[in-house]
Each structure stands twice: as C-alpha cells, then as structure tokens.
C-alpha cells in the first residue's frame, strides 16, 4: 500500500502555483518573536472576506500595505490560507490604508485620531507630504510645531530602522529586535552588525549567540572561524552562569562548545577547542584554575576575581570580632524580654547574643521558627547599643516586608548601595563605604555572587552584617549559592532556628512546608465548599488541560467566595514557563479571565504578546536606568499609542516603557517559582504536574508553598506531588567560594 494514502503521483509531485497578492494587514492572529512565524488577516481590494496569510515576517503591524508572493493551501481546520514565500512593504494606496498605516503605532506622535485628521486634510498625498514637506502638518487642526518635530524625528528613525530590518531579513533572521539594535548603534547599526555580528549577543538584550551566529553564517563567516569559536565559548559560560554556575570544568566546557558549534558541514575537535581555551587564558579573556583533583576549571574573568575577592573580604572580617561587654548584653536581653512579656527560645537567644559581637552572622530557619521575631529583637538590641542600622533585601517586595517587620526604612540592596546607571556601578564601595555600623540583609538565599560581593565590599571595617534567609529555599537566580557556601564552609557563625512555635503550628501551610522539607507527603486538605485549612489540594486530573480548567474554576468561583480578589490577591506559581500548565499559556488564559478586553481599556500587541491596561506584569531583566529589577511586579496603568509608551505602576513608583523595550516585561498573572523568591501573596495556586517532571524538586515545592500568606492551593496528581517531595536533585552548582573560605586567610588559589 502506498504510504501517501489516496494521493495520486501527480498530487505528490505537484509544485504549488505561485502568485502575488496585495492588501492591508487588518490584525495579527499569531506572531512568534523567535522565528517571525506569523498568522495574520489581510484586507484585499474587491475581496468580501478577510484573507488569512501565513509565513515568516521580519516585522509586521496592522495598517501596513504588503505585496505578497506565495501560494494557496487549504488547511483542514482553518480553511483557505495564503502561504507567503516572500514579501515587500508598499505605500498604502487607499485613504483607509494610509490612515491605518499612520495610526498603527509605527510613528511616535501619531495615534489613530491624529492619523485620521492628517488623512482627511491631505488625502492620497499624505505620505508624500510627510516625506518632503512635513512642515505643512501645521495645517492640520491640533498639530503644533512641537508635535511636528516629534513626528519628523520618528519618521526619520523609522526609515533608518526599516533599513536595519531589511538588512537583517535579507540575512535570514527575524528583526523583532531591530529597534533595539538601532537604539544601541544608531547610524552605525549595519556597519556594526557586518563587522562583528557576534557583538549583538553581548550588547542587545534578547539576542543570543544562536541569532548572532545565524547572521554571521549568512554573512559568510566560516564555521571553523576562531572568532566563532571564541564567541561560542563565551556563550556556553554565559549559559552556565544563567544556570547558577560560576565556572565550568574544562572537559564539560569543551563538550558543550562542540555540541553548540557542530553544523552539518563541520564539527570542531576537542584539541581545537582546548587550544582556543588555552589561548584565551593567556590573553586573560578566560581564567583557568586547577581544582583539588587537578581538573582545570574555566571562569569568565569577572566571575573568578569576584569569587576570590569575596572570599578574601569575608576572611578579613572574621579575623577580629567586635569587642563587647557580654554580661551587659545578657542583662539587656533579660530586661527587654521581661518588659515586653516575651520569651526567646534558646536558639533565638543565642542568635541575639551572637549578633552583639559577630562581624558576620547568618540567621536561618524555616517558616514559623521565629526568624522575623529574632531579627526584630536584634534590631532593638543594636538600637540600644547606639548603632546606625541599615536594612536591605534583594527585591523591592522583600525590602517592603522587612521595613514593615522592623518599623525602620528598608531598601533594595541596589538602592542601599546607590547604583549609578552612568557608570553601571555602585557609588558605595570600599572607597566610599556605607555610613552604617550594622546592616541586615534579608532573603539572603537570593544573593548571587556579584550582589553579595558588592554588599560586603561596601560595609565599613568596623561594621557588622546579619544575613537572614531560609537555606532550604531555591538558590539565587544569578550565579553562585552564597548562603549555602557560607554555611557549608563552617567559617561564618550560623544560628539555625528549628523550633516551630505554637501559633505557627496552627497554619497548615507551615506544617506542609516542613513536611515537604523532610521529604514527607504534605498534609493538605482536599478542596471543599467549606474548607477549614489554609492549605488545600485540588486533584485537577492527570492531564495538564484539566489543571488549566481547575485554575480557571478556582479564580472565577471558589477563591472569590472565600473573600479574595483574583485581580490583586491571587498568584499562580509554576515550575516552568512552557507547556499547557506553564506560565506562558496560563498568562494568556488568566488575562482573559481576570482582565478581559473592554472598550475603555487600551491594548497593544508587540512581538506576539498582548498587553492591556490593568494587566499585571513582571520585569524580566535588571534595568538600571529605570531602577527596576528582575522579578519586580507592577500593573499597567495606561498605554499611550501616540507617544508609544506603556506606563506601569511598580509599587509606589511610576515607570515608563517605550514600545521598543516591551520585551523587558511579561504578563504576571502566573510567574515561575524562581521569580517569586522574596515575595509573599495572600493566595498562591501551585500546579504540580508530571509535564514538568524535569523541574520538580523538593526545594522548588517548598519555596512555592511558603510564598502563600493566607491560602495555598496545590493542584495536581498525588503521583506528581510524591515525585516532587522525594526529589532532592536540587541542581549542583559549580562554585568555589566554600573552598576558598576553607583556605588560610591571606592565601588565594593560583590561576594558570
């Protein structure tokens, strides 16, 4: 029997008949930022219905007039579609087309209303007027000279951006990031890309090695180019850092680079990559160090020096403790607890006493064990001792909670150290230390290598540092595992609180968290109409689509009946981004439920992502110019289609995003558990499904469930939950901070 079923040989071998059509883009149905794959609806002259077009587009917006070459095909589900092979943009030929084009958001300063006025005045000559006699826009009601200059600059910029788009498209790569490339390089954009396409991966957020490599290959850079090998090595080390590693062993680095650089016509040799590594090490572009087993470990230079310097700084601080009259301290603790009718556990009292004389002290423990109360008592002691106290945390939300807990002002660590966007560094450092004699850093499990080093470096010689955090939570998003390395070294004083207090024992969330931490199946009450527990379980079925349905029902019915507002109180936390039960899909679903479209809500689509006024968003990267950081949450207050700006309320601050920078934010009705670190939410919904089995681990589950303040709802099969609590594979991280701390003070490991 033929494997082609009932198709005839003529049908099998038939070549599609190509033709050319022209039309105006009415709307985008789907757009992939990575590939440029697009499904759009097109208005064609004399056609009664909209035409569906499918293909890869560099940049496509409603209102553009396109000339498309391709062929027709009949989709079994969606009917006739025009498959685009190539295309070009043409000037719109109709008044409606011109109006749509101008008002589509392409040109800053021109929104739909202004576009209508301009077209009504100039008709079919509109685009020629803007191109050659733009000063005549003064004739249009409501357009002042200031607006004309804005439109003129935007028009010229758009023309330059289009040239970049056309250039990149001609070399086979999506140009979603063309605006960012233009903003980075200005008129030198094409020259920069041509000279060194790999520089894009370093300079442009969102463009990685694979995209830069694709451009380079199309520009004729050979597969065995040393330039390509070096870029591949840096990329692999960068990817390792994104996974939390400070270095990679050379054998693993070589293996990953060969895998990355292998093409259909070329495979690098181990010796060839090893030679490049050796050469880069000689030029200080990479640093190698021998481990205890003589394995070579490869670092980016900044990672090596930062790790080494942090260890040395901590060594220096631990040499001499703060001189203290301990009988007097103990007497103060007795009087303080008696006057407030409170009682400290032996572990808590030990922590308060050690805080009196320790240069560095770590306070750790799970929920309900009294970290907050102990920290508050230490603050009171330091106040009584006349110390100047600074409070900080890695995220804005964690800092806010720390401030509420202690009654003192708390800042993010970036703000405490006074980050300067001009120098991309902190104003407070070893030369200009913090003017405080005692510093508390909360949520210390979130400290990565660079933030920890910047903090310790900025603390004056005689000052003290208290690090507070839960060692059983997920490690930092950035490289390193600072809190774990400090504790495991045995060199830094540590107090671990283990006693769960009676009041905390009444919370099923806290009980479940400790059970998860011990590898036990948590005690979670099956969901019911009248729950008595604050930690519930919804079976949600075995299939992810059942989990999506369960979340929708909880958000629209069950949770509101308990008195919570889904728009402000509920946070869905997912193990992964991908899949039906991942953040990307759930955000699209929850956006429609929690913040549905409305005539009075402006919305825009950029890069295939729909953003609407009232949406909850999350910052995806550190943006030092705006002073917003990875993980910050906000609400879209308004969208200005004329100025092409999105205004977001982040805490007490208003932050403005240009359209070109919208890839820095994403919807946040659902976020990853990693992104939730340092935050708390009234209600947490936690889907645990086998679809994410690769990511499921005990500390991931533990971190997620401890984000809930009042109610936690776990959705998923018992099999998936059991797998999660049994999994102790928390992801080993390559760091040497612990090893360096175990060396004698003053010594450093030699680089080779």
């Amino acid at each position: 029997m033929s494997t082609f079923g009932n198709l005839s040989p003529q049908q099998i071998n038939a070549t599609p008949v190509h033709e050319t059509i022209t039309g105006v883009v009415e709307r985008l149905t789907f757009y992939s930022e990575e590939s440029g794959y697009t499904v759009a609806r097109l208005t064609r002259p004399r056609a009664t219905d909209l035409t569906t077009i499918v293909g890869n587009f560099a940049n496509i917006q409603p209102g553009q007039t396109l000339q498309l070459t391709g062929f027709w095909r009949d989709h079994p589900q969606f009917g006739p579609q025009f498959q685009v092979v190539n295309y070009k943009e043409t000037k719109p030929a109709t008044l409606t087309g011109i109006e749509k084009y101008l008002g589509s958001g392409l040109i800053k300063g021109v929104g739909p209303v202004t576009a209508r006025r301009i077209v009504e005045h100039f008709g079919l000559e509109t685009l020629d007027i803007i191109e050659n006699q733009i000063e005549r826009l003064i004739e249009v009601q409501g357009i002042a000279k200031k607006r004309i200059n804005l439109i003129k600059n935007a028009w010229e910029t758009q023309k330059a951006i289009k040239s970049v788009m056309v250039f990149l498209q001609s070399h086979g790569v999506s140009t979603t990031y063309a605006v960012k490339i233009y903003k980075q390089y200005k008129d030198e954009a094409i020259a920069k890309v041509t000279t060194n396409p790999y520089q894009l991966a370093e300079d442009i957020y969102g463009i990685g090695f694979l995209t830069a490599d694709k451009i380079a290959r199309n520009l004729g850079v050979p597969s065995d180019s040393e330039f390509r090998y070096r870029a591949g090595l840096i990329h692999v080390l960068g990817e390792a850092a994104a996974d939390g590693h400070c270095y990679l062993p050379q054998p693993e680095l070589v293996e990953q680079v060969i895998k990355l650089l292998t093409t259909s016509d070329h495979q690098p040799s181990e010796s060839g990559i090893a030679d490049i590594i050796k050469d880069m090490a000689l030029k200080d572009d990479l640093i190698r160090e021998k481990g205890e087993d003589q394995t070579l470990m490869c670092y980016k230079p900044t990672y090596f020096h930062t790790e080494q310097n942090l260890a040395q700084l901590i060594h220096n601080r631990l040499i001499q403790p703060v001189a203290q009259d301990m009988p007097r301290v103990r007497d103060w603790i007795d009087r303080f607890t008696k006057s407030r009718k409170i009682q400290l556990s032996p572990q808590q009292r030990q922590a308060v006493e050690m805080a009196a004389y320790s240069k560095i002290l770590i306070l750790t423990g799970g929920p309900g064990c009294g970290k907050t109360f102990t920290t508050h008592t230490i603050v009171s002691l330091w106040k009584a001792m006349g110390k100047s106290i600074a409070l900080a945390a890695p995220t804005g939300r964690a800092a806010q909670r720390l401030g509420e807990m202690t009654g003192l002002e708390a800042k993010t660590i970036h703000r405490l150290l006074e980050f300067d966007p001009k120098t991309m560094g902190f104003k407070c450092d070893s030369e200009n230390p913090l003017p405080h004699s005692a510093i508390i850093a909360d949520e210390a499990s979130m400290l990565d290598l660079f933030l920890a080093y910047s903090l310790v470096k900025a603390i004056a010689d005689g000052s003290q540092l208290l690090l507070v955090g839960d060692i059983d939570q997920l490690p930092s998003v950035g490289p390193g595992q600072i809190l774990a390395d400090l504790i495991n070294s045995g060199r830094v004083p540590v107090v671990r609180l283990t006693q769960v207090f009676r009041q905390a024992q009444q919370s099923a969330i806290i009980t479940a968290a400790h059970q998860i931490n011990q590898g036990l199946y948590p005690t979670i009450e099956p969901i019911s109409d009248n729950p008595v527990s604050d930690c519930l379980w919804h079976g949600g079925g075995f299939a992810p689509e059942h989990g999506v349905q369960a979340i929708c029902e909880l958000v629209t019915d069950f949770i509101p009946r308990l008195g919570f507002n889904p728009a402000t109180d509920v946070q869905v936390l997912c193990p992964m981004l991908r899949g039906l039960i991942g953040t990307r899909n759930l955000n699209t679903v929850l956006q429609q439920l929690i913040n549905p479209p409305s005539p009075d809500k402006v919305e825009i689509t950029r890069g295939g992502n729909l953003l609407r006024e009232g949406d909850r968003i999350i910052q995806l990267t550190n943006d030092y110019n705006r002073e917003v950081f990875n993980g910050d949450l906000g609400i879209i207050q308004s969208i200005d289609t004329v100025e092409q700006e999105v205004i977001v309320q982040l805490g007490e601050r208003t932050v403005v995003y240009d359209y070109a920078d919208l890839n820095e934010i994403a919807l946040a009705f659902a976020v990853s558990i990693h992104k939730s670190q340092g935050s708390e939410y009234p209600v947490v919904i936690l889907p645990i499904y086998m679809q994410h089995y690769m990511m499921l681990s005990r500390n991931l589950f533990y971190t997620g469930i401890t984000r809930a303040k009042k109610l936690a709802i776990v959705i998923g099969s018992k099999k998936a939950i059991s797998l999660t609590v049994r999994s102790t594979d928390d992801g080993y991280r390559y760091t040497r901070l612990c090893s360096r701390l175990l060396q004698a003070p003053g010594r450093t490991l030699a680089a080779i």
Side-chain angles (χ1 to χ4, degrees), residues 138-150:
I138 196 73
E139 300 172 17
V140 180
Q141 180 184 1
I143 298 184
K145 285 186 177 180
K146 184 178 179 182
R147 175 64 60 84
I148 292 174
N149 288 331
L150 179 65

Side-chain angles (χ1 to χ4, degrees), residues 714-727:
V714 181
I715 301 177
S717 68
K718 291 184 177 181
K719 178 182 177 182
I721 295 172
S722 296
L723 171 71
T724 305
V725 297
R726 290 197 310 269
S727 174

Side-chain angles (χ1 to χ4, degrees), residues 596-603 612:
S598 167
D600 59 353
K601 293 178 185 175
V602 180
E603 61 183 52
R612 180 180 297 132

